Amino acid sequence: MARRSSIAFAIAIVSLTAACGHKSRPKAQIAPSQVTTIGINSYLWRAALDTVSFMPLLQTDSNGGVIVTDWYVNPSAPGDRMKLTVTILDRDLRADAVRVAASRQTLTAGQWIDAPVQAATVQKLEDIILTKARDLRRSTVSD
């Protein structure tokens, strides 16, 4: 009986310590593309905030992934103002995971009048956000 208990104890010790001797998993070469600690992709979120940081912010919702700016008047073009809404649509760092909507107004006879926004403006902002997000992801690996 004592011998069986000793054998059972030895087997238990060997099985518990067997897991300790294996090598740890290799680390990934790049940071994960899906970061969900705030409900949306944090690389896209940080990149979007950084991109629109020159504009006054009206609303930010990191869980919903929405950034709304107030009207911004560029000092070099005082008769023109712009307002942005940036939406992060996915938890993955993907090209279709960010959407920018822009509103533009021009000052005409003392009144702000809605004006069209060039499609290239919105596309350029989305590209800037994506590029910054990818750079943030790459720098995570370097750190």
Side-chain angles (χ1 to χ4, degrees):
M1 182 80 159
R3 182 174 160 96
R4 258 191 223 171
S5 295
S6 297
I7 292 172
F9 181 74
I11 291 172
I13 294 295
V14 168
S15 66
L16 287 174
T17 59
C20 295
H22 79 305
K23 293 182 179 178
S24 63
R25 295 172 64 187
K27 295 197 182 238
Q29 294 298 321
I30 59 172
S33 66
Q34 187 180 75
V35 180
T36 59
T37 57
I38 59 171
I40 46 101
N41 187 283
S42 66
Y43 300 123
L44 286 171
W45 180 254
R46 287 178 22 206
L49 282 174
D50 187 43
T51 301
V52 300
S53 64
F54 66 96
M55 301 176 83
L57 299 179
L58 275 181
Q59 175 188 359
T60 59
D61 177 9
S62 62
N63 286 321
V66 178
I67 300 168
V68 180
T69 70
D70 201 357
W71 291 104
Y72 171 75
V73 178
N74 185 342
S76 64
D80 212 22
R81 69 181 186 175
M82 189 163 239
K83 184 177 190 174
L84 301 174
T85 300
V86 180
T87 309
I88 310 299
L89 302 168
D90 201 334
R91 292 181 176 192
D92 282 322
L93 177 53
R94 304 175 356 167
D96 61 350
V98 63
R99 180 172 298 142
V100 175
S103 299
R104 180 176 164 248
Q105 292 182 338
T106 56
L107 189 59
T108 308
Q111 297 285 326
W112 288 104
I113 307 296
D114 289 337
V117 177
Q118 295 179 3
T121 302
V122 171
Q123 183 63 47
K124 182 69 174 168
L125 285 167
E126 289 174 354
D127 289 344
I128 290 169
I129 293 168
L130 285 166
T131 300
K132 285 184 181 193
R134 289 179 185 126
D135 290 344
L136 286 169
R137 182 178 177 209
R138 269 189 233 108
S139 70
T140 301
V141 176
S142 302
D143 293 345

